Amino acid sequence: MVRIDKPLDGQRVCRNCIAKSHIEECVRCGARREPATRDAQGRPLCPNCLVTDPANVEVCIGCGKRRRVQNRTSDGPLCPNCCPLPVLVCSICGRTAPGTHSRLTGLPRCGGCDRRQARCASCGRLRGIHSGTAEAPICGPCTTPDAELWRPCPTCGEAERLRSSGPCPRCTLKQRLHELLANGSGSTPPKLQALHQALASTERAATGLRWLSGGIVSTVLSDLGSGRRPLTHEALDELPEGKVVEHIRSVLVATDALPKRDEQMVRLERHVKDIVTSHATAEGRKFLHRYATWHLLRRLRRRSRGKETTHYQLQVARQHLRAGVYLLNWLEDQNLTLATCRQADLERWMASDGVRLRQEAGHFVRWALTQKITRDLSFPAERWNGPSRPMDDEARWDTARRLLHDDTFKPEDRLAGLLLLLCAQWPAAISRLTVDHIEETDGVVRIRLGAVAVAVTVTVTVELPAPVAELALQQVQVRRSHAVLGRTDSPWLFPGGQPGRPISAWAMGERLRKLGIRLAEARSTALFQLATELPAAVLARTLGIDITVAVKWQRAAAGDWAAYAAEVSRRRASPQHPIHEPGVPT
């Protein structure tokens, strides 16, 4: 039962049947669709070729590219990517943010509420929200119970906005999953039942359908369900490397179909194997294998202490290994080896043009000296003598005030930026925070940034000011990822694009840079300021940094423990003091 529009062969039919009766092959792309227009020779053109025709695109004043015009202003045309949404007061959550007017109610709705799904306060079903409030949301069928707009699904019977005579997207997703994951007996294997349930109950069924139809997802899941491919990490490693395979792996790990493993460490081991086997000489391969296996990888595992390797740790290890390759290649070109290389040869390489990763190569040379592979070489390490860039504390506080009061930024980005500016946390440390790091007792919100194991585990919490505390509690409640399994039981405070995993340190750094924050300079300024107020031991435990790093920063800030003790004895208790350690006067 749909609306009929125009006559066809003496009968009135719907718009879909009219379009099917007019299907022609587009002369430009070959798609069989209803023509949107015709060219000068009268040949049909599909709608996609019409909007992308060079004659119909103009130069956007925002990005400078020739694209389809979305909006025209007094200054010129804007493309869809550069056309800003109007800033409106959302009728559901009350937040002032970019949004549009709902076609169902005519009221303004922000982008977050447009994409949000929640339990309807009227029918109790998990659906897209169209009206109501943030505390009592109302779904579409309860907002406008129009039988012509919301028709019952022929499979489950729930009212949906169906655009065809088939089942709703949720039932279509379940049917597709059964086709992919069923084995020879027609049932889902026990190890994949949790995956089937998680994907079938995902908030956005359309997103799940698109994911199943993209790339090699359907092929891999079908092979795993039928048993043609074993359900192991090694079987997935045989597939071509790429983000699609990594996302499939993360979904399987999040649903306990596969055990967890350190993916960054696996990538590093694979990179080491490729670098070593591709080296030209047998002696060079032997030295690189020893350096990578018994120095780089061993030291990285020891420092990780059972935690997953971060992206920055992976990059540093790769740079050190490549630096050793560059030095060995230069020695080979000079008919030298590590044993026959002398200090004059090493300095000649260091002073040559085009040398890459000069300082990183020092790690390789010093390792070769400790292993007695070479002799009479000196490659001193650079001692850190404090921050090299000027400290701009005023700019740091200006950025912090902007993040505190500007609601146009995403709450998770504001919280991450404030943790960097106020607590000197690197993006790698921020990305690894969990909901258990946020504590609320008697109306006071604290965050635990560091834990140092001595005779017992000593934990120090930082009391968050009211605006930052509100952002932290809000992030705990509304955190979600952009993955197909957007809401899982993940403990991470900042979930990533892969289910069950936090946002990567690189992605967190990119989001902070888009806020106008210079990561290294902002953290150095915050750490420099905190080092002038706290002794190294307290600074290390409070911020979760190594004690040697805290000592170096305290010396760079010209501070010492005696001066701190004298200052504490004169300081009055102040509730505005942001950092508090139990047992230490504020």
Side-chain angles (χ1 to χ4, degrees):
M1 296 293 297
V2 294
R3 183 176 300 169
I4 55 178
D5 290 42
K6 296 181 180 181
L8 176 65
D9 297 333
Q11 295 181 340
R12 297 187 65 85
V13 296
C14 65
R15 182 67 187 85
N16 189 34
C17 291
I18 290 292
K20 290 181 179 179
S21 66
H22 295 166
I23 286 180
E24 297 184 50
E25 183 176 343
C26 178
V27 297
R28 183 167 299 171
C29 66
R32 293 187 57 80
R33 299 181 62 184
E34 182 184 17
T37 186
R38 297 184 181 274
D39 59 8
Q41 289 77 30
R43 297 176 298 179
L45 291 175
C46 68
N48 184 56
C49 291
L50 172 64
V51 298
T52 58
D53 192 296
N56 297 329
V57 298
E58 300 181 32
V59 178
C60 174
I61 62 174
C63 60
K65 299 180 180 179
R66 293 185 59 85
R67 304 192 64 182
R68 178 172 61 89
V69 177
Q70 176 72 16
N71 191 16
R72 295 187 182 276
T73 65
S74 58
D75 299 328
L78 289 172
C79 68
N81 291 343
C82 297
C83 184
L85 293 175
V87 178
L88 305 171
V89 178
C90 181
S91 60
I92 299 177
C93 65
R95 189 168 62 99
T96 302
T100 58
H101 286 83
S102 172
R103 289 179 292 179
L104 193 65
T105 62
L107 299 176
R109 184 169 57 168
C110 67
C113 292
D114 185 27
R115 296 184 295 268
R116 187 166 65 98
Q117 290 197 352
R119 293 285 177 183
C120 177
S122 179
C123 64
R125 297 172 180 172
L126 183 64
R127 291 183 156 182
I129 300 305
H130 289 263
S131 62
T133 62
E135 293 75 19
I138 305 297
C139 67
C142 294
T143 299
T144 306
D146 188 354
E148 195 173 305
L149 182 64
W150 309 98
R151 296 185 290 110
C153 171
T155 303
C156 63
E158 291 191 4
E160 296 289 346
R161 196 169 186 175
L162 301 178
R163 293 174 173 82
S164 63
S165 58
C168 65
R170 179 74 57 189
C171 295
T172 305
L173 175 61
K174 293 180 179 179
Q175 180 181 356
R176 180 59 176 160
L177 286 172
H178 179 73
E179 295 173 356
L180 292 177
L181 300 179
N183 53 22
S185 60
S187 60
T188 304
K191 290 186 177 181
L192 296 177
Q193 288 180 358
L195 172 66
H196 184 284
Q197 182 179 0
L199 290 175
S201 59
T202 184
E203 288 186 355
R204 290 186 170 270
T207 303
L209 286 171
R210 285 195 299 269
W211 183 68
L212 291 177
S213 62
I216 60 173
V217 177
S218 59
T219 304
V220 174
L221 294 183
S222 178
D223 292 344
L224 295 176
S226 62
R228 293 189 296 269
R229 184 180 298 276
L231 186 57
T232 60
H233 282 291
E234 292 73 18
L236 293 181
D237 290 338
E238 297 174 358
L239 297 171
E241 294 185 26
K243 293 184 178 180
V244 177
V245 176
E246 292 303 319
H247 196 87
I248 296 174
R249 190 194 307 272
S250 66
V251 172
L252 293 172
V253 171
T255 55
D256 296 328
L258 284 177
K260 294 182 179 180
R261 74 173 187 178
D262 192 345
E263 294 299 329
Q264 300 283 18
M265 181 62 71
V266 172
R267 293 191 187 101
L268 181 57
E269 292 174 348
R270 190 182 300 126
H271 180 74
V272 166
K273 182 179 179 181
D274 295 339
I275 289 292
V276 172
T277 55
S278 62
H279 196 70
T281 63
E283 184 181 26
R285 289 193 294 270
K286 180 180 68 174
F287 291 151
L288 290 175
H289 180 266
R290 289 175 56 185
Y291 176 61
T293 304
W294 300 107
H295 180 68
L296 294 179
L297 295 178
R298 183 181 181 185
R299 182 181 62 176
L300 187 55
R301 291 192 181 97
R302 184 176 65 251
R303 291 182 174 180
S304 298
R305 298 175 182 176
K307 297 181 180 179
E308 290 190 359
T309 309
T310 65
H311 174 76
Y312 292 126
Q313 290 174 325
L314 173 67
Q315 291 297 101
V316 169
R318 284 181 172 180
Q319 288 181 353
H320 288 175
L321 183 59
R322 286 199 300 268
V325 173
Y326 295 151
L327 178 57
L328 290 176
N329 289 340
W330 183 85
L331 292 176
E332 183 183 357
D333 294 339
Q334 305 297 318
N335 295 323
L336 296 172
T337 63
L338 283 175
T340 60
C341 180
R342 295 295 176 260
Q343 185 66 29
D345 300 322
L346 180 62
E347 293 178 356
R348 182 159 53 91
W349 172 76
M350 296 173 61
S352 61
D353 296 334
V355 59
R356 293 184 290 178
L357 301 177
R358 180 185 293 107
Q359 296 302 326
E360 287 77 4
H363 295 267
F364 180 70
V365 173
R366 288 189 290 272
W367 169 83
L369 285 170
T370 59
Q371 299 295 315
K372 298 182 180 180
I373 299 174
T374 185
R375 297 179 181 179
D376 302 330
L377 290 183
S378 175
F379 202 125
E382 288 189 357
R383 183 178 298 275
W384 186 79
N385 296 317
S388 58
R389 297 181 180 180
M391 302 285 101
D392 192 351
D393 196 53
E394 187 61 32
R396 165 176 163 251
W397 285 113
D398 288 342
T399 306
R401 283 188 287 267
R402 180 164 55 91
L403 294 179
L404 280 173
H405 304 294
D406 195 342
D407 294 336
T408 59
F409 297 120
K410 294 181 178 180
E412 57 267 29
D413 293 345
R414 295 168 61 191
L415 176 61
L418 290 170
L419 290 177
L420 172 65
L421 294 169
L422 302 181
C423 301
Q425 296 296 297
W426 270 119
I430 298 174
S431 64
R432 289 183 173 220
L433 291 175
T434 66
V435 293
D436 295 334
H437 287 84
I438 306 295
E439 305 172 1
E440 184 181 11
T441 55
D442 300 330
V444 178
V445 180
R446 296 183 176 88
I447 183 170
R448 176 168 50 86
L449 299 176
V452 180
V454 285
V456 294
T457 300
V458 180
T459 60
V460 181
T461 58
V462 177
E463 183 176 332
L464 298 178
V468 186
E470 294 176 2
L471 290 174
L473 294 179
Q474 180 182 358
Q475 179 63 14
V476 171
Q477 296 296 327
V478 303
R479 60 195 171 90
R480 63 162 297 153
S481 69
H482 301 286
V484 63
L485 301 179
R487 290 192 181 274
T488 60
D489 295 331
S490 174
W492 303 109
L493 186 62
F494 298 94
Q498 296 181 350
R501 297 184 61 84
I503 185 174
S504 66
W506 178 85
M508 175 63 74
E510 289 298 309
R511 295 179 69 163
L512 295 180
R513 290 187 186 95
K514 291 181 179 179
L515 298 179
I517 300 177
R518 297 181 178 179
L519 304 182
E521 182 177 341
R523 180 180 182 270
S524 298
T525 305
L527 196 53
F528 189 87
Q529 179 63 32
L530 293 174
T532 62
E533 301 175 357
L534 299 175
V538 177
L539 185 66
R541 293 202 305 269
T542 304
L543 302 184
I545 61 179
D546 192 83
I547 184 62
T548 58
V549 177
V551 170
K552 291 180 180 179
W553 274 100
Q554 188 188 44
R555 291 173 179 172
D560 56 69
W561 288 23
Y564 172 78
E567 174 64 24
V568 168
S569 65
R570 294 190 299 267
R571 188 187 304 168
R572 295 181 178 180
S574 174
Q576 288 80 20
H577 200 276
I579 296 182
H580 171 63
E581 180 192 12
V584 177
T586 57

Coordinates of all heavy atoms in Angstrom, one line a residue, residues 476-504:
V476 N 31.7 9.8 30.3 CA 31.4 8.5 30.8 C 30.1 8.0 30.3 O 29.9 6.8 30.0 CB 31.6 8.5 32.3 CG1 31.1 7.1 32.9 CG2 33.0 8.7 32.7
Q477 N 29.1 8.8 30.3 CA 27.7 8.4 30.0 C 27.5 8.2 28.5 O 26.8 7.3 28.1 CB 26.7 9.4 30.6 CG 26.7 9.6 32.1 CD 26.3 8.3 32.8 OE1 25.5 7.5 32.2 NE2 26.9 8.0 33.9
V478 N 28.0 9.1 27.7 CA 27.6 9.1 26.3 C 28.7 8.6 25.4 O 28.6 8.7 24.1 CB 27.2 10.6 25.8 CG1 26.1 11.1 26.7 CG2 28.4 11.5 25.9
R479 N 29.8 8.1 25.9 CA 31.0 7.7 25.0 C 30.5 6.6 24.1 O 29.7 5.7 24.4 CB 32.1 7.1 25.9 CG 31.7 6.0 26.7 CD 32.7 5.6 27.9 NE 32.1 4.6 28.7 CZ 32.2 3.3 28.6 NH1 32.9 2.9 27.5 NH2 31.7 2.5 29.4
R480 N 31.0 6.6 22.9 CA 30.7 5.6 21.9 C 31.7 5.8 20.8 O 32.3 6.8 20.6 CB 29.3 5.8 21.3 CG 29.0 7.1 20.6 CD 27.8 6.9 19.7 NE 28.0 5.9 18.7 CZ 27.0 5.2 18.1 NH1 25.8 5.4 18.5 NH2 27.2 4.4 17.2
S481 N 31.8 4.7 20.0 CA 32.8 4.7 18.9 C 32.0 4.9 17.6 O 30.7 4.8 17.6 CB 33.6 3.5 18.9 OG 32.8 2.4 18.5
H482 N 32.7 5.0 16.5 CA 32.1 5.1 15.2 C 32.1 3.7 14.4 O 31.9 3.7 13.2 CB 32.8 6.1 14.3 CG 32.8 7.5 15.0 ND1 31.6 8.3 15.0 CD2 33.7 8.2 15.6 CE1 31.9 9.4 15.6 NE2 33.2 9.4 16.0
A483 N 32.4 2.7 15.2 CA 32.4 1.4 14.6 C 31.0 0.8 14.3 O 30.0 1.3 14.8 CB 33.3 0.4 15.4
V484 N 31.0 -0.3 13.6 CA 29.7 -1.0 13.4 C 29.1 -1.5 14.7 O 27.9 -1.5 14.9 CB 29.9 -2.2 12.4 CG1 30.8 -3.2 12.9 CG2 28.5 -2.8 12.0
L485 N 30.0 -1.8 15.7 CA 29.5 -2.1 17.0 C 29.8 -0.9 17.9 O 30.7 -0.9 18.7 CB 30.3 -3.4 17.6 CG 30.1 -4.7 16.8 CD1 30.9 -5.8 17.4 CD2 28.7 -5.0 16.7
G486 N 29.0 0.1 17.7 CA 29.3 1.4 18.3 C 29.2 1.3 19.8 O 30.0 1.9 20.5
R487 N 28.3 0.6 20.4 CA 28.1 0.5 21.8 C 28.4 -0.9 22.3 O 27.6 -1.8 22.0 CB 26.7 1.0 22.3 CG 26.5 2.5 22.1 CD 25.2 2.9 22.8 NE 24.9 4.3 22.6 CZ 25.4 5.2 23.4 NH1 26.2 4.9 24.4 NH2 25.1 6.5 23.2
T488 N 29.5 -1.1 23.0 CA 29.8 -2.4 23.5 C 30.2 -2.1 25.0 O 30.0 -1.0 25.5 CB 31.1 -3.0 22.8 OG1 32.2 -2.1 23.0 CG2 30.8 -3.2 21.3
D489 N 30.6 -3.2 25.7 CA 30.9 -3.1 27.1 C 32.4 -2.7 27.2 O 33.1 -3.1 28.1 CB 30.7 -4.4 27.8 CG 29.2 -4.8 27.8 OD1 28.4 -3.8 27.8 OD2 28.9 -6.0 27.8
S490 N 32.9 -1.8 26.3 CA 34.3 -1.4 26.3 C 34.5 -0.5 27.5 O 33.7 0.4 27.8 CB 34.6 -0.6 25.0 OG 35.9 -0.1 25.1
P491 N 35.6 -0.7 28.2 CA 35.9 0.1 29.4 C 36.6 1.5 29.1 O 36.8 2.3 30.0 CB 36.8 -0.7 30.2 CG 37.6 -1.5 29.2 CD 36.6 -1.8 28.1
W492 N 36.9 1.7 27.8 CA 37.7 2.9 27.5 C 36.9 4.2 27.6 O 35.7 4.2 27.2 CB 38.3 2.7 26.1 CG 39.1 1.5 25.9 CD1 38.7 0.4 25.2 CD2 40.3 1.2 26.5 NE1 39.7 -0.6 25.3 CE2 40.7 -0.1 26.1 CE3 41.2 1.9 27.3 CZ2 41.9 -0.7 26.4 CZ3 42.4 1.3 27.7 CH2 42.7 0.1 27.2
L493 N 37.5 5.2 28.1 CA 36.9 6.5 28.2 C 36.8 7.2 26.8 O 35.8 7.9 26.6 CB 37.7 7.4 29.1 CG 37.1 8.8 29.5 CD1 35.7 8.6 30.2 CD2 38.0 9.6 30.3
F494 N 37.7 6.9 25.9 CA 37.7 7.4 24.6 C 37.7 6.2 23.6 O 38.8 5.8 23.1 CB 38.9 8.4 24.3 CG 38.9 9.6 25.2 CD1 39.6 9.6 26.4 CD2 38.2 10.7 24.8 CE1 39.6 10.7 27.2 CE2 38.2 11.8 25.6 CZ 38.9 11.8 26.8
P495 N 36.6 5.6 23.3 CA 36.6 4.5 22.4 C 37.0 4.8 21.0 O 36.9 6.0 20.6 CB 35.1 4.0 22.4 CG 34.5 4.7 23.6 CD 35.2 5.9 23.8
G496 N 37.6 3.9 20.3 CA 38.1 4.1 19.0 C 37.2 3.7 17.9 O 36.1 3.2 18.1
G497 N 37.7 3.7 16.7 CA 36.9 3.3 15.5 C 36.8 1.8 15.4 O 35.9 1.3 14.8
Q498 N 37.6 1.0 16.2 CA 37.5 -0.4 16.2 C 36.9 -0.8 17.5 O 37.2 -0.3 18.6 CB 38.9 -1.1 16.1 CG 39.5 -0.8 14.7 CD 40.9 -1.5 14.6 OE1 41.4 -2.0 15.6 NE2 41.4 -1.5 13.4
P499 N 35.9 -1.7 17.5 CA 35.2 -2.1 18.7 C 36.1 -2.7 19.7 O 36.9 -3.5 19.4 CB 34.1 -3.1 18.3 CG 34.6 -3.6 17.0 CD 35.4 -2.5 16.3
G500 N 35.9 -2.4 21.0 CA 36.7 -2.9 22.1 C 38.1 -2.4 22.2 O 38.9 -2.8 23.1
R501 N 38.4 -1.4 21.4 CA 39.8 -0.8 21.5 C 39.6 0.7 21.7 O 38.7 1.4 21.2 CB 40.5 -1.0 20.2 CG 40.8 -2.5 20.0 CD 41.7 -2.7 18.7 NE 43.0 -2.1 18.8 CZ 44.0 -2.6 19.4 NH1 43.9 -3.8 20.0 NH2 45.1 -2.0 19.5
P502 N 40.6 1.4 22.3 CA 40.6 2.8 22.5 C 41.0 3.5 21.2 O 41.5 2.9 20.3 CB 41.6 3.1 23.6 CG 42.6 2.0 23.5 CD 41.8 0.8 23.0
I503 N 40.7 4.8 21.2 CA 41.2 5.6 20.1 C 42.7 5.6 20.1 O 43.4 5.6 21.1 CB 40.7 7.1 20.2 CG1 41.0 7.9 19.0 CG2 41.2 7.7 21.5 CD1 40.4 9.3 19.0
S504 N 43.3 5.6 18.9 CA 44.8 5.5 18.8 C 45.4 6.8 19.2 O 44.7 7.9 19.2 CB 45.2 5.1 17.4 OG 44.8 6.2 16.5

